[in-house]
């Protein structure tokens, strides 16, 4: 009898947890980050049903509805705009405060070519007049007319990271820059600069994407890009017939539309022109600038460049655009913290390239993968059953492919408090593929603030403690900026960590499909994101 009593007492102790270690919140969260969960979500988000998820389109709205429904299913409350009180409750005389929806709604300005733009190059007493979408294509934010002298700026690169500054000493105020498209060596795989840029293709792409910013800051009115490696007849423009036997197999992107946030500043943005050989020949006639020779020297890393003013040349540009407003939305969910005003954010852009050339650009890696990561981590936080110390906001951004627009709107209009109370941001962008030279399939790029070394320590500790098998390439920058949504947060002084698995040949092509995903890598990145977010939410 005594023996039975002892056994019962000990059993009670075990059942009450007295002698058994309890599951930690992190372990509870990790249990719901499963292969089945990410495969199921990614397979739908990157399916043809969402039509490439282009910002402002039916496919994007369908995708965002799906994301919101999954967040609600996971038990994570909405964190977006305030909804309306329940009509049913009001009819019964019950007054309830409105709840937050899962959407942060706003509008963007869409600009389309108006058909009456012109480009004229004046040399001496003669003017060469070119036709839009035949000799050149144009991007402009408003209808305007500008005129200015011409300055050749090489590739227009200003980068400490790659040791190039082609804008040093340039006087661009009120002038028009002419430059070579892309980066040195981009068409010569054996060149010194090609190899240098290919060592970090993400950084190279970010550099290209941000080249206009420096020109704008230096007061340039417009920029003319010359691409030596492609004939004007092969680039985006108006075509009577592209002569392809199977138009639905074409990969040509024929979208002319541009989207931007509507600023109170009425000053026009930098006008961007893509020109062919005829435009280059007219602009540079008599200047002794040989673009092909310059490109070859630059590819070899030999060029010590100074900007060159093109004498006796003046450019007249007239733009005409049509505008309309487009309704768009971010997806926002939120778990309120004990300190509800301080918050941390995790986000990924939901949008991709849409449909073009008869094909759907499904963007499985870019960035359905990152979006699934955010959705899965939201579910993991709910599964912990623990209220975090800080409020945690889970975001799916719209408009990243149009210029990081959704994240910028959020930082201008945070759903709670203000950006001074935003303590950390985690970004997922392309977390599911391997680079060409990653034979093991373990490479992951991680960007973080160099002035916060504890970020690196946090990552390394979590990788080791939870046996996450990855080759993490940690890149520290004092003020990380680039072609993804963390830029809006670093601009507001928020420390960040950004995950990206790899640049790959299917980037921004219709071939970015689910079948090429490295599921093991994606799963481990999501686990590390959850562990990091849990830590910053509770410290």
């Amino acid at each position: 009898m005594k023996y039975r009593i002892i056994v019962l007492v000990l059993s009670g102790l075990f059942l009450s947890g007295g002698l058994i270690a309890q599951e930690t919140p992190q372990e509870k969260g990790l249990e719901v980050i499963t292969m089945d969960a990410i495969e199921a979500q990614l397979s739908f988000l990157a399916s043809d049903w969402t039509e490439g998820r282009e910002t402002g389109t039916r496919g994007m709205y369908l995708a965002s509805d799906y994301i919101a429904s999954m967040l609600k299913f996971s038990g994570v409350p909405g964190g977006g705009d305030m909804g309306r009180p329940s009509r049913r409750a009001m009819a019964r005389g019950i007054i309830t405060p409105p709840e937050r929806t899962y959407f942060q709604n706003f509008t963007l300005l869409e600009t389309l070519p108006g058909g009456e733009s012109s480009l004229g190059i004046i040399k001496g007493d003669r003017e060469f007049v070119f036709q839009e979408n035949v000799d050149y294509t144009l991007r402009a934010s408003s209808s305007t007319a500008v005129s200015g002298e011409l300055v050749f700026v090489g590739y227009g690169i200003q980068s400490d990271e790659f040791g190039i500054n082609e804008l040093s000493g340039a006087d661009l105020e009120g002038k028009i820059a002419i430059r070579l498209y892309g980066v040195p060596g981009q068409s010569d795989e054996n060149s010194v600069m090609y190899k240098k840029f290919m060592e970090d293709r993400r950084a190279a792409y970010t550099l290209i994407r941000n080249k206009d910013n420096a020109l704008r800051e230096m007061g340039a009115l417009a920029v003319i890009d010359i691409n030596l490696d492609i004939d004007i007849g092969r680039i985006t423009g108006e075509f009577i017939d592209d002569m392809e036997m199977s138009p639905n197999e074409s990969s040509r992107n024929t979208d002319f539309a541009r989207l931007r946030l509507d600023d109170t500043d009425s000053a026009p943005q930098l006008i961007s022109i893509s020109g062919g050989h005829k435009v280059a020949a007219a602009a540079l006639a008599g200047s002794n600038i040989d673009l092909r020779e310059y490109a070859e020297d630059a590819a070899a890393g030999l060029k010590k460049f100074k900007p060159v003013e093109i004498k006796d040349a003046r450019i007249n540009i007239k733009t005409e655009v049509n505008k309309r407003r487009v309704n768009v939305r971010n997806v926002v969910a939120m778990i309120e913290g004990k300190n509800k005003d301080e918050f941390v954010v995790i986000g990924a852009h939901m949008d991709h390239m849409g449909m073009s050339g008869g094909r759907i650009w499904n963007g499985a890696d870019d960035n359905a993968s990152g979006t699934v990561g955010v959705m899965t981590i939201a579910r993991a936080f709910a599964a912990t059953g623990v209220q975090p110390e800080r409020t945690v906001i889970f975001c799916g951004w719209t408009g990243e492919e149009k210029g990081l627009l959704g994240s910028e709107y959020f930082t201008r209009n945070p759903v709670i408090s203000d950006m001074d109370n935003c303590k950390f941001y985690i970004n997922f962008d392309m977390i599911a593929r391997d680079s060409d030279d990653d034979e093991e399939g373990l490479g992951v790029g991680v960007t973080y603030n160099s002035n916060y070394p504890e970020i690196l320590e946090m990552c390394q500790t979590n990788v080791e403690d939870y046996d996450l098998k990855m080759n993490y390439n940690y890149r520290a920058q004092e003020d990380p900026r680039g072609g993804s949504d963390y830029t809006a947060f670093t601009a507001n002084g928020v420390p960040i960590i950004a995950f990206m698995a790899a640049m790959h040949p299917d980037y921004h092509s219709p071939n970015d499909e689910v079948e090429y995903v490295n599921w093991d890598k994606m799963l481990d990145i999501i686990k590390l994101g959850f562990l990091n977010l849990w830590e910053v939410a509770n410290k």
Side-chain angles (χ1 to χ4, degrees), residues 119-140:
L119 170 65
I121 300 176
I122 300 174
K123 282 295 187 83
D125 57 359
R126 185 176 182 183
E127 182 176 9
F128 299 87
V129 179
F130 298 94
Q131 184 176 341
E132 184 182 9
N133 296 326
V134 175
D135 301 309
Y136 69 94
T137 58
L138 178 146
R139 292 185 185 183

Side-chain angles (χ1 to χ4, degrees), residues 339-369:
N339 179 350
K340 64 181 182 180
D341 291 329
E342 278 194 0
F343 61 98
V344 295
V345 182
I346 183 169
H349 73 89
M350 310 173 289
D351 64 308
H352 192 54
M353 311 295 285
M355 299 185 291
S356 184
R359 299 187 70 179
I360 301 175
W361 302 46
N362 283 317
D365 186 36
D366 185 17
N367 184 35
S369 66

Side-chain angles (χ1 to χ4, degrees), residues 394-416:
F394 308 90
C395 296
W397 308 121
T398 193
E400 192 268 358
E401 302 290 4
K402 304 295 184 180
L404 315 181
L405 302 178
S407 53
E408 183 177 350
Y409 182 85
F410 176 91
T411 57
R412 293 185 186 185
N413 305 275
V415 292
I416 61 168

Side-chain angles (χ1 to χ4, degrees), residues 120-280:
I121 300 176
I122 300 174
K123 282 295 187 83
D125 57 359
R126 185 176 182 183
E127 182 176 9
F128 299 87
V129 179
F130 298 94
Q131 184 176 341
E132 184 182 9
N133 296 326
V134 175
D135 301 309
Y136 69 94
T137 58
L138 178 146
R139 292 185 185 183
S141 61
S142 60
S143 299
T144 187
V146 300
S147 180
E149 297 174 351
L150 194 62
V151 181
F152 177 61
V153 294
Y155 285 89
I157 295 175
Q158 193 175 52
S159 170
D160 293 336
E161 188 170 2
F162 290 104
I164 303 172
N165 187 353
E166 296 176 294
L167 301 180
S168 178
D171 176 13
L172 293 173
E173 186 67 41
K175 297 178 182 178
I176 295 167
I178 183 169
R179 71 184 176 197
L180 287 163
Y181 169 82
V183 295
Q186 61 189 6
S187 58
D188 182 1
E189 296 183 3
N190 297 315
S191 69
V192 172
M193 293 307 296
Y194 179 91
K195 294 174 182 177
K196 187 171 183 178
F197 283 115
M198 289 305 102
E199 287 176 0
D200 193 340
R201 284 193 282 185
R202 179 68 178 183
Y205 170 74
T206 299
L207 184 154
I208 294 171
R209 189 168 181 170
N210 293 328
K211 284 203 298 183
D212 286 355
N213 293 342
L215 300 181
R216 188 182 300 111
E217 291 170 1
M218 297 174 73
L221 300 174
V223 58
I224 301 174
D225 270 313
I226 304 297
N227 190 339
L228 297 177
D229 301 317
I230 190 167
D231 182 77
I232 189 68
R234 300 289 298 170
I235 68 172
T236 300
E238 293 179 351
F239 300 87
I240 294 175
D241 186 352
D242 66 5
M243 301 301 290
E244 293 189 21
M245 296 299 290
S246 300
N248 64 330
E249 290 301 312
S250 169
S251 61
R252 177 178 289 154
N253 192 326
T254 54
D255 176 32
F256 287 83
R258 300 291 178 264
L259 293 173
R260 66 182 180 89
L261 291 171
D262 189 10
D263 295 319
T264 55
D265 184 4
S266 61
Q269 297 182 343
L270 186 75
I271 298 169
S272 178
I273 292 172
S274 295
H277 293 275
K278 286 194 295 184
V279 173

